[in-house]
Amino acid sequence: MKARLKAVGSRLLQLVVLLGTISTTLFLLLRLSGDPAILLAGEGASPETIDAIRADYGFDKSLLQQYLMFLWDIVRLDFGRSLVNSQPALGFVLQYLPSTLHLTFLAVFFNSIIAIPAGVWLGAKPTQRRRKILSTVVSVAQGTPAYVIGLLLIQIFSVWLGWLPSIAGTGTWAWVLPTATLSFALAPNLIRVVAASVEDTTRQDYYRTAKANGAAPNVLLIKHSLPNALLSTTSLLGAQFAFLLSGALITEYIFAWPGLGLILVQSITNLDFPTIQATVFVVAYLVFIVNLLMDQVFRLADPRLRRSQL
Amino acid sequence: MAALMVGASQAPVSAAAGTITIAVPGLPPSQGNPFKEGPGTPGIHTYAAIFDALTRVDDKGIVRARLATYWKTVNSTTWRFTLRQGVKFSNGEEFNADAVNDTIDFLVSADGRKTVIGSTELPELTGAKKVSEYVVDITTKTPDAILPAKLAALYIVAPKAWKTAGQDVFAKAPIGTGPFKVDSITTTRIEMSAFTGSWREPKAAKLVIIPLADAASRLQALQSGQVNMVAGINPDQIAAAKKSKATVISVPAPQVMSLAFNVTAGGAVKDVRVRQALNYAVDKEAIANGLLAGKGKAATQGVTPVVYGYNKAVTGYQYDPAKAKELLAAAGYASGLTIAADITVGSFPSDNLIYQAVKADLAKVGVTLNYTTITFAQWLPQYNANSWKGEAFGLSWNSAPRGDSSRPYAIFVCKPVGAFYCNAEEDALVKKAATELNAAKRLAILKEVAVKVTASAPALYIVEQIDLYALGKGVKGFSAGNRSITYENIYVN
């Protein structure tokens, strides 16, 4: 129990250090990136106007003063108001979290149910001709950008067949194409990892022993290959999940999907510091949680890790 | 000065019905606060449906009636506006002189001066004074010949709603006198309903505006019937749009794409012969025909024929590479020249390709043009302070929304802060045009400015830009001018 508490304490400390480091780096990078007061004032604004706007947002203070104020604000989870739309930045960002989570969960789910069976099938007998063909297709697909996949899916299912909407918020099925885009964009990588892991297990001693003992092919695959292959698969799925949480920008752009990636890019374009900071903070927090959960999944999946104090 | 026009309101022919969905490149980041956005895109695609200004400028640069029906000067710094009667805001408030007063009071307040409209579009405004229920005097610091045109950039907001909500809350629920009232605003969708009490009563019952930043997905949204119309398609999409039975409409933009020269910093472009040579070296006709599908035109001067002050006698620089080489040699650059330019791309149809075509043409006369592509956030501080490291930078001659050539000339000639080109004689003419209240005399001055500034070539004039719209099947009543869509007339048959 004591060890467990220590582990939790250590994780919390990690979280604080992580968020502190990210926030500080971000604070400095943003201050180097430009002056939002100039953007807010517009083309040809007088220096007096720009100074007045700087004073409004405290950008006229020294960098150290701004930093201390910033730290005090984020400790209270107050990121200030958006410089552009004047809404509280954190609340504004959180409005878009559900749609990001929605897309993330669906994409990871469909990615898994496409990629894991395909990867297992490929990895079980990689030298078989038809599997080699699929392997080539997967390699080509891996090099296809999500942008191209998205436009192709829209062209086929929205423009030619007229079956599915491509714009978010236009009906019950508006999630299908963005989800499919992300799933198809992520699946090739996962298929290759699963296939390689499964293939790798077939060279292990325990696999060969089981095979020599007369285990059926399906038993070999499900009982001996898959559990071991799933470790690296889970690791990649976790990374993909975390990646999607930071926003699937291209997909959000094409489908007008109201997600964090879109918010982040818009706020960067407008040098909307509070919104950028709030978005990055939320994403960092979520990624940390995902990593924590992944660690727990590993502990459950791998008996060797249970002995360590995670 | 005589009043310019009295406009007629659009009478509805039928009760509002149907939904118009339009895909646009972007929504205004400031949402429904019309003072925090510049007067062009992306704000105008949304605000033209919600708000009205006192005036509008038509596609010939003529000032037309909007919420004001008549205007005249009272003295050199005061204009008197007679307002349209019987106009209501979508929350039921009356439009009258108090509403105009309140909007202008805000604009000249400390907060208003921090908005884009207050600080850069109408910094000369000093206040408004109610004369009677429907007459208001608007005053300026110095005599302003084109205040009625400039006021086309100032949307009048519902005074009580503005005061009660404050500008931050108002941005989520904006109230104007336009044909539609806002139901909801998010960063990926604006939904509106017909304001049936509007003096510009719409024919459609609903209007939905969806931002699709990617041009390909905008066209696909139209082809799949998910949107009825698209603002902003690329010239290379025209054939595909027509193939899918869409109607493509090209509207001349009050904008000339150019590369401005940083003349005040010295260097090769300080020599007018070099600037002229660069203008002769570029085949603008070929660019307009090839990259703007023949819809845009080669620029002859800093403004386009839809702008007041355009001088059709000025024919500009016809493509003449031999003459360009001659001028370069005379200026001491017979063996060639290297020029650096900072540009932003993605603002105009085909802009990236156009810049590359310019580079290729200049290479033929021995000029190496090296571009650095930057973001608008990087561009703006350098533009304000004229702190460019190179000899040129991307800057369009934008006459919108006032549709008057004085706007770009005041920027290209002796910009008050951070001037990149200055000529005392031309500056004196531009300033004279700003205060000359006699319309005929003023037009003559503007035409003279066009002659002189074109000869001085403070920029490499490239093309007169265009705005392209695509309409889906059954869309009727579309028109647009000066980037403003006439939303009230649009419906789906």
Side-chain angles (χ1 to χ4, degrees), chain B residues 137-434:
Chain B
D137 283 350
I138 299 179
T139 52
T140 53
K141 282 177 204 158
T142 51
D144 193 328
I146 57 161
L147 184 68
K150 289 179 179 176
L151 287 174
L154 178 63
Y155 294 116
I156 306 297
V157 294
K160 281 183 193 150
W162 177 264
K163 275 185 192 157
T164 311
Q167 59 171 328
D168 296 345
V169 177
F170 184 90
K172 294 293 284 179
I175 307 285
T177 52
F180 289 93
K181 55 186 177 186
V182 172
D183 296 326
S184 65
I185 294 187
T186 70
T187 55
T188 51
R189 197 177 186 86
I190 298 182
E191 297 199 3
M192 305 188 203
S193 299
F195 168 33
T196 49
S198 170
W199 72 281
R200 293 197 281 142
E201 189 179 333
K203 291 176 180 166
K206 297 257 182 202
L207 174 67
V208 179
I209 305 180
I210 294 170
L212 284 168
D214 181 67
S217 53
R218 279 201 296 280
L219 183 60
Q220 285 181 323
L222 184 78
Q223 290 171 323
S224 59
Q226 295 177 86
V227 303
N228 304 106
M229 52 187 281
V230 171
I233 66 164
N234 286 338
D236 60 8
Q237 294 177 312
I238 292 176
K242 285 185 174 168
K243 203 175 165 192
S244 58
K245 307 271 187 272
T247 306
V248 176
I249 294 176
S250 171
V251 180
Q255 200 149 10
V256 169
M257 186 176 163
S258 84
L259 276 174
F261 297 125
N262 186 4
V263 178
T264 52
V269 294
K270 192 161 192 236
D271 190 323
V272 67
R273 291 169 297 184
V274 171
R275 304 198 299 269
Q276 290 170 337
L278 298 177
N279 269 288
Y280 281 121
V282 175
D283 190 350
K284 300 155 188 176
E285 291 280 352
I287 292 174
N289 289 329
L291 300 177
L292 293 179
K295 307 281 184 191
K297 301 259 185 310
T300 57
Q301 54 201 286
V303 293
T304 73
V306 299
V307 174
Y308 192 79
Y310 174 80
N311 188 341
K312 66 179 177 189
V314 174
T315 52
Y317 299 87
Q318 307 298 316
Y319 180 50
D320 191 344
K323 193 164 185 178
K325 279 185 181 169
E326 204 177 285
L327 282 164
L328 283 171
Y333 296 100
S335 57
L337 172 67
T338 299
I339 285 177
D342 291 292
I343 52 168
T344 61
V345 295
S347 308
F348 310 112
S350 304
D351 54 5
N352 200 8
L353 295 171
I354 292 172
Y355 282 131
Q356 294 313 317
V358 169
K359 182 184 167 98
D361 279 351
L362 291 184
K364 289 176 196 160
V365 297
V367 175
T368 307
L369 178 57
N370 294 322
Y371 291 120
T372 304
T373 304
I374 55 175
T375 64
F376 182 67
Q378 293 170 313
W379 181 92
L380 188 54
Q382 298 187 79
Y383 166 76
N384 279 354
N386 194 39
S387 55
W388 305 102
K389 289 187 180 68
E391 292 83 1
F393 58 97
L395 176 66
S396 71
W397 298 67
N398 184 9
S399 304
R402 63 187 73 156
D404 192 282
S405 68
S406 63
R407 188 183 197 273
Y409 284 127
I411 290 168
F412 277 82
V413 180
C414 305
K415 184 159 75 81
V417 181
F420 50 88
Y421 167 79
C422 206
N423 174 298
E425 187 195 356
E426 291 161 20
D427 185 41
L429 278 174
V430 172
K431 288 198 164 71
K432 197 172 164 193

Side-chain angles (χ1 to χ4, degrees), chain A residues 38-41 43-45 49 53 56 84 86-87 96 147 151 154-155 158 165-168 253-254 256 258 262, chain B residues 29-31 36 113-114 116 119-120 168 172 187-189 210-214 216-217 220 223-224 226 376 380 384:
Chain A
I38 293 177
L39 271 189
L40 288 169
E43 279 179 50
T49 302
I53 294 174
D56 271 3
V84 178
S86 306
Q87 294 183 54
Y96 295 91
Y147 175 74
L151 291 185
I154 297 173
Q155 193 65 32
S158 292
S166 66
I167 299 172
Y253 252 111
I254 298 174
L262 208 58
Chain B
S30 303
Q31 301 188 323
K36 279 192 166 183
R113 290 293 188 209
K114 291 175 203 159
V116 170
S119 83
T120 65
D168 296 345
K172 294 293 284 179
T187 55
T188 51
R189 197 177 186 86
I210 294 170
L212 284 168
D214 181 67
S217 53
Q220 285 181 323
Q223 290 171 323
S224 59
Q226 295 177 86
F376 182 67
L380 188 54
N384 279 354

Side-chain angles (χ1 to χ4, degrees), chain B residues 437-474:
Chain B
L437 297 174
N438 179 297
K441 283 186 187 168
R442 185 169 177 277
L443 186 58
I445 297 169
L446 290 176
K447 289 192 170 183
E448 193 184 348
V449 169
V451 173
K452 289 192 184 302
V453 176
T454 304
S456 303
L460 199 174
Y461 306 97
I462 310 174
V463 284
E464 295 175 357
Q465 269 294 0
I466 48 170
D467 293 323
L468 288 172
Y469 302 86
L471 312 181
K473 205 177 154 191

Side-chain angles (χ1 to χ4, degrees), chain A residues 14-32:
Chain A
Q14 280 179 24
L15 177 63
V16 171
V17 171
L18 173 80
L19 294 179
T21 310
I22 285 177
S23 304
T24 304
T25 311
L26 188 65
F27 174 87
L28 292 172
L29 284 177
L30 287 180
R31 265 62 185 179
L32 289 173

Side-chain angles (χ1 to χ4, degrees), chain B residues 41-77:
Chain B
T41 52
I44 197 161
H45 289 320
T46 297
Y47 299 152
I50 308 169
F51 298 109
D52 290 302
L54 292 181
T55 58
R56 75 179 175 89
V57 178
D58 73 9
D59 54 8
K60 301 219 167 21
I62 305 298
V63 189
R64 304 286 183 189
R66 204 66 164 176
L67 289 179
T69 53
Y70 178 88
W71 44 89
K72 64 178 183 182
T73 49
V74 175
N75 58 50
S76 65
T77 56

